[in-house]
Amino acid sequence: MAFSSNDIVQMHQAMALASQAMFITSPNPRVGCVIATAGGEILGQGHTQAAGQAHAEIMALNYALSRGREVSGATAYVTLEPCAHQGRTGPCCDALVKAGIGRVFASVQDPNPQVAGQGLARLQAAGIEVQTGLLEDEAREMNIGFFKRMQHGTPWLRLKTAQSLDGQTALNNGASQWITSQAARDDGHRWRARACAVLSGIGTVLQDDPLLNVRAVDTPRQPDLLLIDSRLQTPLNARLWQEKRRVVVFHALRDVDRETALTAQGAALVCLPGPGDKVDLHAMVQHLGQLNYNEVHVEAGHKLNGSLLNAGLIDELLVYLAPLLTGPGHSMAALPQLTDLTDAQAWQFSQSSQIGADLRLLLRRTC
């Protein structure tokens, strides 16, 4: 389908608005909306607010109303199909019909089963011209975790690691501060901020006593913290408790005293025993979907990284590569030794950028 240059410009603006919602909409998708005339004049624009607040279409309609702009007959450019169900807010498709919108361009159909084409159908039934597919790939990328959760019931897991050119995340003595530059570390915090939750393991907590929060960028909310702690060893005086946020601890063994102490500290405990007295990682990821997490940012040690990778649970690798050769040390993941290269995990580069002195690589599985 051919789109005019004006249509493309307006949808790019809607996409830019959606990106402004990157840190705030969880568990809802990040959506932008532009309402414009046939001549390209923008009458209203906006993006989805925090969960329970106005969606992008309502923000754009309110923008136009507050400025006395008449939107009847205008075109709405939306990066995701307008919703058709009553949640904490009303159906956006009905609001567009009521406002007299003449055309709606939606980048992609909403994968939410409660919508899934119903919003577009109701717009068409009201006599509104509807078109889809404009910047569809960009729209999916904007909400890659939301699409995965709606279609598969589990979140998008992104594993972040910082390492030297020869693949080491720390020296043999455990020293790892700092392999990458300040610019790369700040960039890593932006990826933390966009996630619904940060996932780590007890090994990292005991060795580094990290905060595991967002500090380098302004964010209106802190991601939840998820800990895999099979034996409930998380110290009650760990620094991670300093941040006011939801903490979920996944464990495999029962210990009433430790469970009572951690619960009193504010943690939500989930017991998911698996083989070898370890947490059942597949069951954990299913549980994360039930908690409505779209994107989960993994920052863990080589043992947990290896377990997640071996289980096929990581969707994307976020690798910061420093221009250093450090010699023997700790690798990014404890993977089994192979005797044949055809058995190696295959990943595909999807993006590369220089961040300060370092290289940021994004990789996804090839199948």
Side-chain angles (χ1 to χ4, degrees):
M1 180 182 296
F3 298 101
S4 72
S5 58
N6 178 57
D7 293 333
I8 295 170
V9 167
Q10 302 296 5
M11 193 61 87
H12 273 296
Q13 173 62 12
M15 204 66 66
L17 289 164
S19 69
Q20 294 178 22
M22 185 66 69
F23 301 159
I24 66 173
T25 63
S26 175
N28 293 335
R30 305 139 182 158
V31 182
C33 177
V34 169
I35 299 174
T37 66
E41 179 188 359
I42 292 179
L43 304 174
Q45 58 184 349
H47 60 71
T48 299
Q49 302 299 295
Q53 299 180 28
H55 289 188
E57 298 91 329
I58 306 304
M59 294 296 294
L61 289 170
N62 289 344
Y63 180 107
L65 180 64
S66 68
R67 287 159 177 77
R69 308 281 180 81
E70 175 55 56
V71 300
S72 180
T75 300
Y77 299 88
V78 194
T79 59
L80 188 69
E81 175 186 2
C83 65
H85 65 291
Q86 177 69 49
R88 284 181 282 187
T89 60
C92 292
C93 62
D94 292 350
L96 294 174
V97 171
K98 184 177 179 180
I101 293 295
R103 295 193 307 165
V104 172
F105 284 74
S107 292
V108 63
Q109 182 174 301
D110 192 334
N112 186 341
Q114 294 180 297
V115 184
Q118 296 179 58
L120 300 177
R122 277 160 66 168
L123 291 170
Q124 289 177 313
I128 296 175
E129 179 187 344
V130 172
Q131 295 192 50
T132 60
L134 180 53
L135 302 189
E136 179 175 352
D137 291 343
E138 291 89 335
R140 289 180 182 274
E141 283 294 315
M142 181 69 66
N143 292 295
I144 193 165
F146 179 75
F147 270 83
K148 187 184 179 199
R149 180 169 66 87
M150 288 295 121
Q151 294 169 339
H152 302 285
T154 56
W156 182 265
L157 265 65
R158 180 181 294 114
L159 190 156
K160 178 258 182 181
T161 182
Q163 60 191 57
S164 62
L165 278 176
D166 46 350
Q168 307 306 309
T169 61
L171 303 182
N172 268 332
N173 63 8
S176 61
Q177 296 182 330
W178 296 104
I179 285 180
T180 53
S181 65
Q182 184 66 55
R185 298 198 297 275
D186 290 351
D187 189 71
H189 277 261
R190 281 185 279 274
W191 287 88
R192 276 188 192 178
R194 68 174 283 166
C196 301
V198 174
L199 171 67
S200 194
I202 185 61
T204 297
V205 172
L206 294 177
Q207 178 172 322
D208 299 334
D209 193 20
L211 288 167
L212 292 170
N213 62 355
V214 177
R215 301 183 299 279
V217 297
D218 290 331
T219 179
R221 59 147 183 99
Q222 285 289 340
D224 292 351
L225 177 59
L226 313 173
L227 291 179
I228 297 179
D229 180 7
S230 295
R231 300 176 182 275
L232 296 173
Q233 296 174 286
T234 302
L236 300 179
N237 62 349
R239 293 202 304 157
L240 61 89
W241 302 113
Q242 296 176 13
E243 190 70 57
K244 298 297 181 183
R245 59 186 160 173
R246 184 184 196 186
V247 178
V248 182
V249 178
F250 294 93
H251 61 109
L253 300 180
R254 301 300 304 270
D255 184 322
V256 173
D257 290 340
R258 290 296 298 170
E259 289 176 43
T260 299
L262 289 169
T263 300
Q265 194 76 321
L269 303 183
V270 181
C271 188
L272 296 173
D277 291 335
K278 301 292 186 181
V279 170
D280 184 330
L281 297 178
H282 286 278
M284 180 202 68
V285 172
Q286 290 292 327
H287 190 81
L288 298 183
Q290 295 167 17
L291 292 177
N292 293 327
Y293 293 137
N294 296 327
E295 295 181 22
V296 173
H297 181 91
V298 180
E299 288 200 38
H302 68 290
K303 291 182 180 180
L304 180 53
N305 286 348
S307 296
L308 291 166
L309 286 165
N310 286 329
L313 296 173
I314 298 300
D315 297 292
E316 187 170 56
L317 297 176
L318 171 62
V319 179
Y320 292 91
L321 198 59
L324 302 174
L325 296 172
T326 62
H330 297 175
S331 65
M332 67 172 282
L335 298 174
Q337 182 173 323
L338 302 179
T339 58
D340 193 321
L341 279 174
T342 59
D343 296 327
Q345 290 190 25
W347 294 78
Q348 182 174 4
F349 292 108
S350 63
Q351 189 184 115
S352 63
S353 305
Q354 184 158 353
I355 308 294
D358 308 305
L359 192 62
R360 183 186 70 200
L361 304 173
L362 278 177
L363 301 95
R364 294 180 181 170
R365 289 186 180 274
T366 57
C367 60

